[in-house]
Amino acid sequence: MAKSLPIVMLIILFFAASCQKADLKDMLITPDSVSTIKISVASVSGPTTTSVNQEVSYLVTWPHSRTYTAFRNFKTDTLGQTSHITLYVDSNSCQTCIVNTTTATYKFKPTAKGTYYLKFLGRDSTHTIVDTVTVK
């Protein structure tokens, strides 16, 4: 038992040191870091017809007011010929921002003929804009 006590103490010391390193990593986050949020889309414009394997672009517009919202990315979940698209932006407080709109381009490339539904979801998924594209 006396021989295993130093080994047990060494293991405990090792785990305590590793926990302390994780705590230090959390403390390095700056208070003015940018957060990513979902935002509601105000409008979508793009083609209504295309061909198989032809990439098409849609101009997506969203409003912002008193918050700086820079485009981060789109997240697309596709089931069959319906795509649910969520817009993510970076958000920081901005005291001098004016009411304005911001735009980004969403690209879509159909792989088969048919009718595709592009559903741009709102912040809480209740406000949805649906764009339909026919692939010939």
Side-chain angles (χ1 to χ4, degrees), residues 3-21:
K3 290 182 182 182
S4 63
L5 185 60
I7 294 172
V8 171
M9 292 301 289
L10 186 60
I11 292 172
I12 291 173
L13 183 61
F14 175 74
F15 282 116
S18 65
C19 290
Q20 186 177 12
K21 288 180 186 175

Side-chain angles (χ1 to χ4, degrees), residues 2-105:
K3 290 182 182 182
S4 63
L5 185 60
I7 294 172
V8 171
M9 292 301 289
L10 186 60
I11 292 172
I12 291 173
L13 183 61
F14 175 74
F15 282 116
S18 65
C19 290
Q20 186 177 12
K21 288 180 186 175
D23 293 340
L24 289 176
K25 286 181 186 175
D26 291 340
M27 292 172 58
L28 296 176
I29 297 173
T30 58
D32 58 339
S33 64
V34 175
S35 63
T36 302
I37 60 170
K38 287 194 287 187
I39 197 159
S40 295
V41 173
S43 66
V44 177
S45 63
T48 57
T49 60
T50 189
S51 301
V52 175
N53 293 322
Q54 179 183 358
E55 185 174 79
V56 290
S57 297
Y58 292 86
L59 186 63
V60 179
T61 305
W62 67 93
H64 68 87
S65 172
R66 297 188 106 8
T67 301
Y68 173 74
T69 51
F71 174 73
R72 172 63 99 175
N73 65 351
F74 291 104
K75 179 181 179 256
T76 305
D77 294 318
T78 303
L79 180 61
Q81 292 180 319
T82 301
S83 296
H84 291 209
I85 304 150
T86 307
L87 171 64
Y88 288 90
V89 296
D90 291 337
S91 178
N92 271 346
S93 177
C94 178
Q95 300 302 321
T96 60
C97 295
I98 58 173
V99 175
N100 204 349
T101 57
T102 308
T103 61
T105 302

